[in-house]
Amino acid sequence: MAKSVAVVVRSFLLFLFSSQFAAAQFAATPTGIPSLRPRLPNDTLCNHLILPAGYPCSEHTVQTEDGYLLALHRVSSRTGNISEQRGPPVLLQHGLFMDFWDWSWQELALHDLADMICYINSITNTKIFVVGHSQGTIMSLAAFTQPDIVEMVEAAALLCPISYLGHVSAPFVLRMVNMHLDQMILAMGIHELDFRSDWGINLMDSICDGHVDCSDLLSSITGKNCCFNNSRVDFYLEYEPHPSSSKNLRHLFQMIRKGKFSKYDYGLIKNLKLYGQMKPPIFDLGHIPKSLPLWIAYGGNDDLADVTDLQHTLKQLQSKPELLYLKNYGHIDFLLSVNAKKDVYDHMIRFFRSWGKSSSSY
């Protein structure tokens, strides 16, 4: 495997959020349904963050099976000719809070992620490596249960996997679940969850007021992070968070309430119409091939990716993934810890290099 690994980036893996500059941006309409407005030609992730840091970057557009346009950003090493590198491509899949409207992670897994993998496979003529964090692991695991998708994947690294959510202990999240916030929002006809909006800020205030200690909001959502550089928060907030779909939030809350890794529950009648059964089908992790190498990193202070839920996931898999456990790490540390290179990424790269059997022609 080449020293410089070609990396295809849909966006930075920053916390649960996305730094995605979509192919078009959303603007509110009088009906509350987002509409598209054109993006300025130079308003790209490459131009904003990656090229100024000295890395080659190019943007690709992928059209999904259901008609949406996705932006993929290909990033390489600072040294060397990007056109001559032959390292297998690595797709980084971020987590929650990105621009989508009436979708949940189910569509993101079976359409968006599937079509991104297919696109990269078609232009590189090789299997790819996948890295997912948080919701990115839900999407990855669900996609890997589909034979036509997983056959294009060489190996995968999962940071803070949350295919099961029955033991989430984050106070802020549990408060929202107990309030049935997801059902309330959808009942009010709010399809886009935007914590930067006036109503979103008021909503967060009402969740915290007298119920949750939000003096350290990050810890109340993710668990205590040992090694996060708090001085960088203002920089991250320049880009984060983007809106997410209310339906996506509801799907995640269904998983917390029911403790199952299953498709979206529309209710008895619509389930029968869409799925042919009264309850939504589960994603059977046993369908992920034993031959797919998996590397999983998780932490003892993670209030979202609970160790008990991870053990449930491991029992469902045919294979025995390579595990990295960091007792003092929280949910955000796996992305933004000041020690992440040594603690996490060096181990991940070693794992990928051990499976770098394919060579790229792109």
Side-chain angles (χ1 to χ4, degrees):
M1 179 175 173
K3 291 183 179 179
S4 300
V5 178
V7 181
V8 182
V9 186
R10 189 177 176 198
S11 74
F12 283 134
L13 292 169
L14 298 181
F15 174 34
L16 295 177
F17 303 143
S18 156
S19 292
Q20 171 84 354
F21 286 85
Q25 295 175 330
F26 286 103
T29 67
T31 62
I33 298 175
S35 64
L36 295 174
R37 66 171 180 262
R39 185 185 65 185
L40 296 176
N42 292 325
D43 188 17
T44 67
L45 184 63
C46 285
N47 288 337
H48 271 267
L49 294 176
I50 300 172
L51 290 173
Y55 292 91
C57 180
S58 59
E59 183 171 313
H60 298 248
T61 300
V62 179
Q63 181 167 341
T64 65
E65 184 181 1
D66 51 350
Y68 287 82
L69 299 179
L70 306 175
L72 279 168
H73 301 88
R74 185 172 191 257
V75 184
S76 185
S77 168
R78 283 180 172 149
T79 60
N81 187 332
I82 191 171
S83 64
E84 295 178 356
Q85 292 177 354
R86 293 294 182 265
V90 181
L91 173 63
L92 307 184
Q93 178 56 55
H94 59 71
L96 184 59
F97 285 104
M98 52 184 288
D99 285 331
F100 273 99
W101 172 49
D102 191 27
W103 308 109
S104 82
W105 59 259
Q106 177 177 321
E107 286 80 14
L108 301 182
L110 301 182
H111 294 295
D112 295 33
L113 182 57
D115 288 319
M116 288 189 290
I117 290 174
C118 185
Y119 173 82
I120 299 167
N121 175 259
S122 69
I123 66 171
T124 62
N125 194 32
T126 184
K127 291 186 176 183
I128 73 172
F129 293 136
V130 174
V131 179
H133 174 255
S134 192
Q135 182 176 272
T137 69
I138 298 178
M139 294 166 57
S140 298
L141 289 169
F144 297 162
T145 65
Q146 311 301 304
D148 56 331
I149 301 175
V150 74
E151 69 180 5
M152 294 180 283
V153 178
E154 183 78 52
L158 307 177
L159 303 171
C160 313
I162 51 174
S163 56
Y164 290 95
L165 290 169
H167 293 84
V168 166
S169 57
F172 190 88
V173 175
L174 292 179
R175 170 65 178 160
M176 290 193 292
V177 172
N178 293 333
M179 288 173 60
H180 293 273
L181 183 65
D182 52 323
Q183 294 163 302
M184 292 167 53
I185 291 174
L186 286 170
M188 291 187 291
I190 299 172
H191 295 280
E192 184 183 60
L193 187 62
D194 184 1
F195 284 118
R196 286 184 179 267
S197 66
D198 290 340
W199 78 264
I201 294 172
N202 291 332
L203 176 63
M204 292 185 71
D205 287 341
S206 67
I207 294 171
C208 294
D209 188 22
H211 300 283
V212 178
D213 180 9
C214 294
S215 58
D216 184 356
L217 184 59
L218 206 55
S219 293
S220 70
I221 296 174
T222 69
K224 184 174 178 59
N225 297 283
C226 69
C227 312
F228 176 63
N229 185 352
N230 288 315
S231 68
R232 299 281 289 170
V233 169
D234 288 343
F235 171 76
Y236 299 138
L237 290 178
E238 291 181 21
Y239 302 95
E240 315 299 345
H242 282 248
S244 187
S245 165
S246 301
K247 180 179 178 181
N248 193 38
L249 185 73
R250 187 174 189 182
H251 196 174
L252 293 169
F253 284 9
Q254 287 176 352
M255 296 171 66
I256 293 174
R257 294 184 184 111
K258 299 177 181 180
K260 294 184 178 180
F261 184 35
S262 62
K263 293 187 176 182
Y264 188 88
D265 190 349
Y266 288 95
L268 176 62
I269 295 176
K270 195 168 183 180
N271 284 345
L272 285 170
K273 181 179 179 181
L274 293 178
Y275 305 133
Q277 57 189 63
M278 293 184 289
K279 295 182 179 180
I282 63 167
F283 284 99
D284 189 347
L285 296 177
H287 288 166
I288 297 177
K290 187 176 183 179
S291 58
L292 177 68
L294 295 175
W295 181 89
I296 292 176
Y298 62 111
N301 282 330
D302 193 335
D303 286 354
L304 295 175
D306 184 85
V307 174
T308 302
D309 287 330
L310 173 62
Q311 294 300 324
H312 190 180
T313 297
L314 295 176
K315 290 179 181 178
Q316 306 300 313
L317 295 170
Q318 293 188 61
S319 63
K320 291 185 178 180
E322 183 175 329
L323 302 177
L324 173 66
Y325 175 65
L326 298 174
K327 184 177 180 180
N328 62 334
Y329 264 46
H331 204 72
I332 247 186
D333 286 318
F334 286 90
L335 302 180
L336 300 176
S337 164
V338 294
N339 301 317
K341 179 184 182 300
K342 173 177 65 72
D343 292 343
V344 181
Y345 300 131
D346 285 349
H347 297 280
M348 182 193 298
I349 292 170
R350 177 197 53 75
F351 167 77
F352 280 152
R353 282 180 172 161
S354 70
W355 292 99
K357 301 172 183 176
S358 301
S359 61
S360 173
S361 60
Y362 175 56

mmCIF file of all heavy atoms in Angstrom, residues 270-306:
data_model
loop_
_atom_site.group_PDB
_atom_site.id
_atom_site.type_symbol
_atom_site.label_atom_id
_atom_site.label_comp_id
_atom_site.label_asym_id
_atom_site.label_seq_id
_atom_site.Cartn_x
_atom_site.Cartn_y
_atom_site.Cartn_z
ATOM 1 N N LYS A 270 -49.053 1.943 7.854
ATOM 2 C CA LYS A 270 -48.034 2.256 6.849
ATOM 3 C C LYS A 270 -46.927 1.213 6.832
ATOM 4 O O LYS A 270 -46.346 0.940 5.777
ATOM 5 C CB LYS A 270 -47.465 3.653 7.082
ATOM 6 C CG LYS A 270 -46.673 4.176 5.881
ATOM 7 C CD LYS A 270 -46.360 5.654 5.996
ATOM 8 C CE LYS A 270 -45.625 6.140 4.750
ATOM 9 N NZ LYS A 270 -45.310 7.588 4.823
ATOM 10 N N ASN A 271 -46.641 0.614 7.979
ATOM 11 C CA ASN A 271 -45.664 -0.478 7.996
ATOM 12 C C ASN A 271 -46.129 -1.629 7.112
ATOM 13 O O ASN A 271 -45.351 -2.216 6.352
ATOM 14 C CB ASN A 271 -45.453 -0.989 9.421
ATOM 15 C CG ASN A 271 -44.596 -0.062 10.263
ATOM 16 O OD1 ASN A 271 -43.921 0.827 9.753
ATOM 17 N ND2 ASN A 271 -44.637 -0.260 11.570
ATOM 18 N N LEU A 272 -47.416 -1.961 7.233
ATOM 19 C CA LEU A 272 -47.969 -3.034 6.405
ATOM 20 C C LEU A 272 -47.870 -2.693 4.930
ATOM 21 O O LEU A 272 -47.540 -3.542 4.097
ATOM 22 C CB LEU A 272 -49.436 -3.281 6.780
ATOM 23 C CG LEU A 272 -49.674 -4.034 8.094
ATOM 24 C CD1 LEU A 272 -51.161 -3.994 8.468
ATOM 25 C CD2 LEU A 272 -49.205 -5.485 7.981
ATOM 26 N N LYS A 273 -48.107 -1.420 4.607
ATOM 27 C CA LYS A 273 -48.066 -0.983 3.212
ATOM 28 C C LYS A 273 -46.659 -0.996 2.654
ATOM 29 O O LYS A 273 -46.422 -1.467 1.528
ATOM 30 C CB LYS A 273 -48.662 0.425 3.103
ATOM 31 C CG LYS A 273 -48.695 0.971 1.683
ATOM 32 C CD LYS A 273 -49.314 2.366 1.641
ATOM 33 C CE LYS A 273 -49.328 2.916 0.218
ATOM 34 N NZ LYS A 273 -49.918 4.282 0.179
ATOM 35 N N LEU A 274 -45.686 -0.505 3.439
ATOM 36 C CA LEU A 274 -44.314 -0.369 2.945
ATOM 37 C C LEU A 274 -43.476 -1.624 3.123
ATOM 38 O O LEU A 274 -42.675 -1.983 2.251
ATOM 39 C CB LEU A 274 -43.621 0.803 3.654
ATOM 40 C CG LEU A 274 -44.155 2.198 3.361
ATOM 41 C CD1 LEU A 274 -43.399 3.230 4.179
ATOM 42 C CD2 LEU A 274 -44.036 2.529 1.869
ATOM 43 N N TYR A 275 -43.661 -2.289 4.283
ATOM 44 C CA TYR A 275 -42.800 -3.419 4.623
ATOM 45 C C TYR A 275 -43.493 -4.768 4.503
ATOM 46 O O TYR A 275 -42.840 -5.814 4.530
ATOM 47 C CB TYR A 275 -42.273 -3.276 6.054
ATOM 48 C CG TYR A 275 -41.569 -1.986 6.352
ATOM 49 C CD1 TYR A 275 -41.870 -1.255 7.512
ATOM 50 C CD2 TYR A 275 -40.566 -1.481 5.512
ATOM 51 C CE1 TYR A 275 -41.198 -0.072 7.827
ATOM 52 C CE2 TYR A 275 -39.901 -0.302 5.814
ATOM 53 C CZ TYR A 275 -40.221 0.400 6.968
ATOM 54 O OH TYR A 275 -39.564 1.566 7.276
ATOM 55 N N GLY A 276 -44.825 -4.751 4.430
ATOM 56 C CA GLY A 276 -45.559 -6.004 4.374
ATOM 57 C C GLY A 276 -45.656 -6.707 5.708
ATOM 58 O O GLY A 276 -45.960 -7.902 5.777
ATOM 59 N N GLN A 277 -45.412 -5.983 6.791
ATOM 60 C CA GLN A 277 -45.514 -6.531 8.141
ATOM 61 C C GLN A 277 -45.829 -5.416 9.125
ATOM 62 O O GLN A 277 -45.641 -4.231 8.826
ATOM 63 C CB GLN A 277 -44.216 -7.240 8.533
ATOM 64 C CG GLN A 277 -42.974 -6.378 8.456
ATOM 65 C CD GLN A 277 -41.693 -7.172 8.640
ATOM 66 O OE1 GLN A 277 -41.371 -8.056 7.833
ATOM 67 N NE2 GLN A 277 -40.957 -6.890 9.720
ATOM 68 N N MET A 278 -46.326 -5.774 10.304
ATOM 69 C CA MET A 278 -46.807 -4.774 11.247
ATOM 70 C C MET A 278 -45.689 -3.977 11.893
ATOM 71 O O MET A 278 -45.845 -2.801 12.215
ATOM 72 C CB MET A 278 -47.675 -5.442 12.333
ATOM 73 C CG MET A 278 -48.980 -6.021 11.820
ATOM 74 S SD MET A 278 -50.010 -6.677 13.137
ATOM 75 C CE MET A 278 -49.063 -8.143 13.592
ATOM 76 N N LYS A 279 -44.535 -4.611 12.102
ATOM 77 C CA LYS A 279 -43.394 -3.938 12.713
ATOM 78 C C LYS A 279 -42.294 -3.751 11.680
ATOM 79 O O LYS A 279 -42.154 -4.560 10.749
ATOM 80 C CB LYS A 279 -42.880 -4.748 13.905
ATOM 81 C CG LYS A 279 -43.880 -4.842 15.053
ATOM 82 C CD LYS A 279 -43.289 -5.611 16.230
ATOM 83 C CE LYS A 279 -44.281 -5.685 17.383
ATOM 84 N NZ LYS A 279 -43.718 -6.444 18.549
ATOM 85 N N PRO A 280 -41.493 -2.716 11.815
ATOM 86 C CA PRO A 280 -40.426 -2.477 10.826
ATOM 87 C C PRO A 280 -39.386 -3.589 10.864
ATOM 88 O O PRO A 280 -39.047 -4.100 11.936
ATOM 89 C CB PRO A 280 -39.829 -1.140 11.271
ATOM 90 C CG PRO A 280 -40.193 -1.003 12.718
ATOM 91 C CD PRO A 280 -41.517 -1.673 12.869
ATOM 92 N N PRO A 281 -38.874 -3.991 9.708
ATOM 93 C CA PRO A 281 -37.850 -5.040 9.666
ATOM 94 C C PRO A 281 -36.566 -4.593 10.355
ATOM 95 O O PRO A 281 -36.228 -3.409 10.349
ATOM 96 C CB PRO A 281 -37.612 -5.243 8.164
ATOM 97 C CG PRO A 281 -38.763 -4.586 7.481
ATOM 98 C CD PRO A 281 -39.224 -3.497 8.374
ATOM 99 N N ILE A 282 -35.857 -5.529 10.938
ATOM 100 C CA ILE A 282 -34.571 -5.216 11.556
ATOM 101 C C ILE A 282 -33.469 -5.286 10.499
ATOM 102 O O ILE A 282 -33.629 -5.925 9.455
ATOM 103 C CB ILE A 282 -34.233 -6.184 12.711
ATOM 104 C CG1 ILE A 282 -34.083 -7.618 12.173
ATOM 105 C CG2 ILE A 282 -35.272 -6.114 13.813
ATOM 106 C CD1 ILE A 282 -33.460 -8.579 13.172
ATOM 107 N N PHE A 283 -32.375 -4.593 10.765
ATOM 108 C CA PHE A 283 -31.163 -4.790 9.982
ATOM 109 C C PHE A 283 -30.387 -5.898 10.667
ATOM 110 O O PHE A 283 -29.906 -5.740 11.792
ATOM 111 C CB PHE A 283 -30.338 -3.498 9.931
ATOM 112 C CG PHE A 283 -30.895 -2.456 8.994
ATOM 113 C CD1 PHE A 283 -31.660 -1.411 9.489
ATOM 114 C CD2 PHE A 283 -30.661 -2.535 7.634
ATOM 115 C CE1 PHE A 283 -32.170 -0.450 8.632
ATOM 116 C CE2 PHE A 283 -31.179 -1.574 6.769
ATOM 117 C CZ PHE A 283 -31.940 -0.526 7.272
ATOM 118 N N ASP A 284 -30.292 -7.025 10.016
ATOM 119 C CA ASP A 284 -29.669 -8.212 10.603
ATOM 120 C C ASP A 284 -28.153 -8.139 10.433
ATOM 121 O O ASP A 284 -27.617 -8.343 9.335
ATOM 122 C CB ASP A 284 -30.218 -9.475 9.936
ATOM 123 C CG ASP A 284 -29.779 -10.751 10.640
ATOM 124 O OD1 ASP A 284 -28.860 -10.681 11.478
ATOM 125 O OD2 ASP A 284 -30.364 -11.809 10.346
ATOM 126 N N LEU A 285 -27.454 -7.834 11.524
ATOM 127 C CA LEU A 285 -26.001 -7.722 11.460
ATOM 128 C C LEU A 285 -25.334 -9.053 11.115
ATOM 129 O O LEU A 285 -24.189 -9.083 10.674
ATOM 130 C CB LEU A 285 -25.458 -7.194 12.790
ATOM 131 C CG LEU A 285 -25.888 -5.771 13.160
ATOM 132 C CD1 LEU A 285 -25.348 -5.383 14.530
ATOM 133 C CD2 LEU A 285 -25.423 -4.777 12.114
ATOM 134 N N GLY A 286 -26.065 -10.137 11.305
ATOM 135 C CA GLY A 286 -25.550 -11.440 10.923
ATOM 136 C C GLY A 286 -25.378 -11.590 9.424
ATOM 137 O O GLY A 286 -24.721 -12.524 8.964
ATOM 138 N N HIS A 287 -25.973 -10.674 8.640
ATOM 139 C CA HIS A 287 -25.833 -10.717 7.184
ATOM 140 C C HIS A 287 -24.553 -10.046 6.697
ATOM 141 O O HIS A 287 -24.221 -10.136 5.513
ATOM 142 C CB HIS A 287 -27.039 -10.042 6.520
ATOM 143 C CG HIS A 287 -28.292 -10.846 6.634
ATOM 144 N ND1 HIS A 287 -29.549 -10.332 6.358
ATOM 145 C CD2 HIS A 287 -28.496 -12.140 6.996
ATOM 146 C CE1 HIS A 287 -30.463 -11.261 6.561
ATOM 147 N NE2 HIS A 287 -29.852 -12.371 6.937
ATOM 148 N N ILE A 288 -23.854 -9.345 7.590
ATOM 149 C CA ILE A 288 -22.567 -8.766 7.214
ATOM 150 C C ILE A 288 -21.569 -9.912 7.067
ATOM 151 O O ILE A 288 -21.380 -10.704 7.989
ATOM 152 C CB ILE A 288 -22.076 -7.760 8.268
ATOM 153 C CG1 ILE A 288 -23.055 -6.588 8.375
ATOM 154 C CG2 ILE A 288 -20.679 -7.246 7.920
ATOM 155 C CD1 ILE A 288 -22.695 -5.577 9.441
ATOM 156 N N PRO A 289 -20.920 -10.046 5.921
ATOM 157 C CA PRO A 289 -20.044 -11.203 5.684
ATOM 158 C C PRO A 289 -18.930 -11.318 6.724
ATOM 159 O O PRO A 289 -18.343 -10.312 7.136
ATOM 160 C CB PRO A 289 -19.469 -10.926 4.291
ATOM 161 C CG PRO A 289 -20.424 -9.978 3.655
ATOM 162 C CD PRO A 289 -20.978 -9.144 4.753
ATOM 163 N N LYS A 290 -18.651 -12.522 7.113
ATOM 164 C CA LYS A 290 -17.566 -12.780 8.055
ATOM 165 C C LYS A 290 -16.221 -12.366 7.472
ATOM 166 O O LYS A 290 -15.268 -12.048 8.193
ATOM 167 C CB LYS A 290 -17.553 -14.273 8.411
ATOM 168 C CG LYS A 290 -16.587 -14.649 9.515
ATOM 169 C CD LYS A 290 -16.713 -16.123 9.862
ATOM 170 C CE LYS A 290 -15.793 -16.503 11.028
ATOM 171 N NZ LYS A 290 -15.936 -17.947 11.372
ATOM 172 N N SER A 291 -16.162 -12.317 6.150
ATOM 173 C CA SER A 291 -14.916 -11.989 5.459
ATOM 174 C C SER A 291 -14.613 -10.494 5.459
ATOM 175 O O SER A 291 -13.498 -10.092 5.081
ATOM 176 C CB SER A 291 -14.989 -12.481 4.009
ATOM 177 O OG SER A 291 -16.112 -11.891 3.336
ATOM 178 N N LEU A 292 -15.556 -9.640 5.874
ATOM 179 C CA LEU A 292 -15.318 -8.195 5.896
ATOM 180 C C LEU A 292 -14.531 -7.823 7.152
ATOM 181 O O LEU A 292 -15.044 -7.942 8.266
ATOM 182 C CB LEU A 292 -16.633 -7.426 5.862
ATOM 183 C CG LEU A 292 -16.492 -5.892 5.955
ATOM 184 C CD1 LEU A 292 -15.826 -5.336 4.691
ATOM 185 C CD2 LEU A 292 -17.841 -5.219 6.187
ATOM 186 N N PRO A 293 -13.297 -7.346 7.021
ATOM 187 C CA PRO A 293 -12.518 -6.952 8.203
ATOM 188 C C PRO A 293 -13.102 -5.693 8.845
ATOM 189 O O PRO A 293 -13.365 -4.696 8.163
ATOM 190 C CB PRO A 293 -11.122 -6.677 7.635
ATOM 191 C CG PRO A 293 -11.098 -7.353 6.299
ATOM 192 C CD PRO A 293 -12.499 -7.266 5.788
ATOM 193 N N LEU A 294 -13.293 -5.717 10.144
ATOM 194 C CA LEU A 294 -13.833 -4.581 10.881
ATOM 195 C C LEU A 294 -12.891 -4.194 12.013
ATOM 196 O O LEU A 294 -12.342 -5.056 12.707
ATOM 197 C CB LEU A 294 -15.214 -4.923 11.463
ATOM 198 C CG LEU A 294 -16.355 -5.183 10.480
ATOM 199 C CD1 LEU A 294 -17.597 -5.627 11.239
ATOM 200 C CD2 LEU A 294 -16.659 -3.942 9.651
ATOM 201 N N TRP A 295 -12.745 -2.891 12.201
ATOM 202 C CA TRP A 295 -11.959 -2.330 13.301
ATOM 203 C C TRP A 295 -12.860 -1.374 14.059
ATOM 204 O O TRP A 295 -13.492 -0.498 13.449
ATOM 205 C CB TRP A 295 -10.734 -1.614 12.744
ATOM 206 C CG TRP A 295 -9.805 -1.007 13.752
ATOM 207 C CD1 TRP A 295 -8.749 -1.597 14.362
ATOM 208 C CD2 TRP A 295 -9.823 0.345 14.239
ATOM 209 N NE1 TRP A 295 -8.098 -0.708 15.208
ATOM 210 C CE2 TRP A 295 -8.750 0.500 15.146
ATOM 211 C CE3 TRP A 295 -10.651 1.450 14.009
ATOM 212 C CZ2 TRP A 295 -8.474 1.693 15.807
ATOM 213 C CZ3 TRP A 295 -10.388 2.649 14.667
ATOM 214 C CH2 TRP A 295 -9.304 2.754 15.562
ATOM 215 N N ILE A 296 -12.984 -1.542 15.363
ATOM 216 C CA ILE A 296 -13.928 -0.757 16.161
ATOM 217 C C ILE A 296 -13.199 -0.091 17.317
ATOM 218 O O ILE A 296 -12.459 -0.739 18.062
ATOM 219 C CB ILE A 296 -15.067 -1.646 16.702
ATOM 220 C CG1 ILE A 296 -15.953 -2.130 15.546
ATOM 221 C CG2 ILE A 296 -15.901 -0.898 17.740
ATOM 222 C CD1 ILE A 296 -17.057 -3.090 15.970
ATOM 223 N N ALA A 297 -13.421 1.220 17.475
ATOM 224 C CA ALA A 297 -12.844 1.978 18.587
ATOM 225 C C ALA A 297 -13.977 2.549 19.427
ATOM 226 O O ALA A 297 -14.930 3.123 18.890
ATOM 227 C CB ALA A 297 -11.951 3.093 18.057
ATOM 228 N N TYR A 298 -13.873 2.406 20.750
ATOM 229 C CA TYR A 298 -14.929 2.900 21.631
ATOM 230 C C TYR A 298 -14.334 3.342 22.963
ATOM 231 O O TYR A 298 -13.198 2.985 23.301
ATOM 232 C CB TYR A 298 -15.995 1.828 21.851
ATOM 233 C CG TYR A 298 -15.525 0.558 22.529
ATOM 234 C CD1 TYR A 298 -15.942 0.244 23.819
ATOM 235 C CD2 TYR A 298 -14.686 -0.344 21.879
ATOM 236 C CE1 TYR A 298 -15.523 -0.931 24.447
ATOM 237 C CE2 TYR A 298 -14.264 -1.514 22.492
ATOM 238 C CZ TYR A 298 -14.677 -1.801 23.777
ATOM 239 O OH TYR A 298 -14.266 -2.953 24.405
ATOM 240 N N GLY A 299 -15.101 4.154 23.713
ATOM 241 C CA GLY A 299 -14.566 4.745 24.925
ATOM 242 C C GLY A 299 -15.412 4.509 26.157
ATOM 243 O O GLY A 299 -16.629 4.325 26.068
ATOM 244 N N GLY A 300 -14.777 4.558 27.306
ATOM 245 C CA GLY A 300 -15.467 4.315 28.570
ATOM 246 C C GLY A 300 -16.307 5.472 29.055
ATOM 247 O O GLY A 300 -17.180 5.290 29.906
ATOM 248 N N ASN A 301 -16.081 6.696 28.532
ATOM 249 C CA ASN A 301 -16.848 7.870 28.946
ATOM 250 C C ASN A 301 -17.863 8.319 27.908
ATOM 251 O O ASN A 301 -18.348 9.447 27.959
ATOM 252 C CB ASN A 301 -15.906 9.043 29.261
ATOM 253 C CG ASN A 301 -15.248 8.899 30.621
ATOM 254 O OD1 ASN A 301 -15.820 8.306 31.533
ATOM 255 N ND2 ASN A 301 -14.041 9.419 30.751
ATOM 256 N N ASP A 302 -18.170 7.436 26.965
ATOM 257 C CA ASP A 302 -19.092 7.775 25.884
ATOM 258 C C ASP A 302 -20.527 7.496 26.324
ATOM 259 O O ASP A 302 -20.915 6.341 26.514
ATOM 260 C CB ASP A 302 -18.746 6.953 24.644
ATOM 261 C CG ASP A 302 -19.428 7.458 23.379
ATOM 262 O OD1 ASP A 302 -20.489 8.095 23.499
ATOM 263 O OD2 ASP A 302 -18.898 7.211 22.290
ATOM 264 N N ASP A 303 -21.333 8.561 26.492
ATOM 265 C CA ASP A 303 -22.720 8.392 26.929
ATOM 266 C C ASP A 303 -23.682 8.106 25.786
ATOM 267 O O ASP A 303 -24.875 7.906 26.018
ATOM 268 C CB ASP A 303 -23.189 9.656 27.673
ATOM 269 C CG ASP A 303 -22.594 9.769 29.064
ATOM 270 O OD1 ASP A 303 -21.921 8.809 29.493
ATOM 271 O OD2 ASP A 303 -22.793 10.808 29.721
ATOM 272 N N LEU A 304 -23.187 8.084 24.556
ATOM 273 C CA LEU A 304 -24.031 7.763 23.401
ATOM 274 C C LEU A 304 -23.749 6.348 22.892
ATOM 275 O O LEU A 304 -24.672 5.568 22.698
ATOM 276 C CB LEU A 304 -23.808 8.790 22.279
ATOM 277 C CG LEU A 304 -24.234 10.224 22.592
ATOM 278 C CD1 LEU A 304 -23.853 11.161 21.444
ATOM 279 C CD2 LEU A 304 -25.737 10.302 22.852
ATOM 280 N N ALA A 305 -22.488 6.045 22.663
ATOM 281 C CA ALA A 305 -22.103 4.692 22.238
ATOM 282 C C ALA A 305 -21.723 3.887 23.477
ATOM 283 O O ALA A 305 -20.553 3.702 23.788
ATOM 284 C CB ALA A 305 -20.940 4.760 21.245
ATOM 285 N N ASP A 306 -22.728 3.400 24.166
ATOM 286 C CA ASP A 306 -22.533 2.702 25.433
ATOM 287 C C ASP A 306 -21.858 1.343 25.225
ATOM 288 O O ASP A 306 -22.121 0.650 24.231
ATOM 289 C CB ASP A 306 -23.891 2.512 26.124
ATOM 290 C CG ASP A 306 -23.751 1.872 27.482
ATOM 291 O OD1 ASP A 306 -23.510 2.600 28.452
ATOM 292 O OD2 ASP A 306 -23.881 0.634 27.559
#
